[in-house]
Amino acid sequence: ASQHLVVVNHKAQKLPQVVRGGSEGGAHDGLFDRVLCDVPCSGDGTLRKDFKVWDKWTPLFGLRIHRLQEQIAMRGLSLLRVGGVMAYSTCSFNPIEDEAVVASLLRRTRGAVELVDASAMLPDLKRGPGFTAWKVIDEALREFATFEDSQKSSVPKRRRALFLPSMWPPTKKELKKMPLERCLRLYP
């Protein structure tokens, strides 16, 4: 047991405030130096070793779980001390579950969070750079160039509800402030 580690089994996006003892009334936010957000995902990164995933996989998985991934990551950031480090991870290759979530965090925190270059920390790790562009598609492999395209009346109402503006790649202007290539893409 360690007083410096917390492992929980709780809805991560609704993780309760943890109160540090020893101070009058307790201290709330910024409790942790390190946060690991290993979020639920579509699991498409496990296709190589779990062939059952092939039978069930659809692009909708990433669309359906994106919002939850954002919520968990934002909650993780809210529990992080200033100057702390958070790692966000999935076992998905889908950029809507990966770089799109990271881009969303960077947008929402307006400069309060930095995407650091970890390559020097792990020089021998085989990896690829994060994506800076990707396509948003539905289960019929129809591409939607913009969020607005996904909301047109020709798209079924139930399907429109799955799409969020944060699923699309950042603009060229945004990319100047979002070094998404610093995301690490680990391959099996």
Side-chain angles (χ1 to χ4, degrees), residues 57 59 136-144:
W57 185 85
V136 179
I137 59 173
D138 67 7
E139 77 281 8
L141 302 181
R142 287 178 295 209
E143 180 183 345
F144 298 94

Side-chain angles (χ1 to χ4, degrees), residues 20-39:
R20 252 188 333 246
S23 61
E24 187 122 349
H28 297 279
D29 289 330
L31 183 63
F32 299 101
D33 296 317
R34 306 275 187 272
V35 172
L36 170 61
C37 284
D38 187 21
V39 300

Side-chain angles (χ1 to χ4, degrees), residues 36-52:
L36 170 61
C37 284
D38 187 21
V39 300
C41 67
S42 66
D44 62 18
T46 65
L47 290 171
R48 175 185 60 83
K49 61 183 180 181
D50 186 359
F51 297 113
K52 290 180 242 168

Side-chain angles (χ1 to χ4, degrees), residues 18-164:
V18 180
V19 178
R20 252 188 333 246
S23 61
E24 187 122 349
H28 297 279
D29 289 330
L31 183 63
F32 299 101
D33 296 317
R34 306 275 187 272
V35 172
L36 170 61
C37 284
D38 187 21
V39 300
C41 67
S42 66
D44 62 18
T46 65
L47 290 171
R48 175 185 60 83
K49 61 183 180 181
D50 186 359
F51 297 113
K52 290 180 242 168
V53 175
W54 277 111
D55 295 332
K56 298 176 186 172
W57 185 85
T58 167
L60 292 180
F61 288 175
L63 300 176
R64 287 181 179 137
I65 202 158
H66 176 85
R67 182 185 318 263
L68 176 63
Q69 292 167 329
E70 284 182 316
Q71 291 170 345
I72 292 171
M74 283 300 294
R75 185 65 183 130
L77 287 176
S78 75
L79 294 170
L80 193 63
R81 283 189 182 144
V82 173
V85 176
M86 184 175 93
Y88 172 83
S89 69
T90 72
C91 58
S92 173
F93 290 134
N94 186 343
I96 291 173
E97 299 181 66
D98 300 329
E99 289 88 351
V101 173
V102 172
S104 175
L105 297 177
L106 294 171
R107 275 187 203 105
R108 292 170 72 178
T109 58
R110 298 185 178 128
V113 172
E114 176 187 3
L115 181 56
V116 298
D117 182 358
S119 58
M121 294 178 217
L122 306 161
D124 296 327
L125 182 65
K126 293 180 183 177
R127 64 186 175 275
F131 293 162
T132 57
W134 54 87
K135 296 179 180 184
V136 179
I137 59 173
D138 67 7
E139 77 281 8
L141 302 181
R142 287 178 295 209
E143 180 183 345
F144 298 94
T146 65
F147 172 72
E148 292 72 26
D149 289 344
S150 75
Q151 300 303 298
K152 290 182 178 174
S153 60
S154 59
V155 178
K157 193 172 185 177
R158 282 184 48 198
R159 188 66 64 240
R160 280 183 257 160
L162 288 175
F163 294 103
L164 299 171

